[in-house]
Amino acid sequence: MKQQFAATLTGSDFPVEGTVQKINFEGYPDAYEFESIDNSLHLIIARDEEGNWVRLAGTEPFLGSWIDELAQQVV
């Protein structure tokens, strides 16, 4: 996997363009961080102990669908 790659999330009004990179997050060695180009959205996701993708941190408000959208782009 690339260290960093472009990604798009579906915003409430328009698509949100940004970059994703794999990071180490306390307790989650395979976390992924999305940062939008305009700095309006920041999202960190990882798999939990049961293998489900969860949001670890990020900006508020956020859409729950972003977790699934981002997960599809990192696998």
Side-chain angles (χ1 to χ4, degrees), residues 4-59:
Q4 187 175 46
F5 61 94
T8 302
L9 299 179
T10 305
S12 57
D13 296 328
F14 52 88
V16 180
E17 303 287 331
T19 57
V20 177
Q21 64 182 359
K22 185 175 177 181
I23 62 169
N24 287 322
F25 193 90
E26 188 174 334
Y28 298 90
D30 294 322
Y32 294 88
E33 178 179 40
F34 174 87
E35 289 190 67
S36 65
I37 293 170
D38 65 2
N39 293 319
S40 66
L41 176 61
H42 179 242
L43 178 63
I44 299 175
I45 66 169
R47 288 188 188 267
D48 65 12
E49 294 172 352
E50 288 136 22
N52 300 310
W53 287 98
V54 295
R55 176 181 181 261
L56 303 177
T59 53

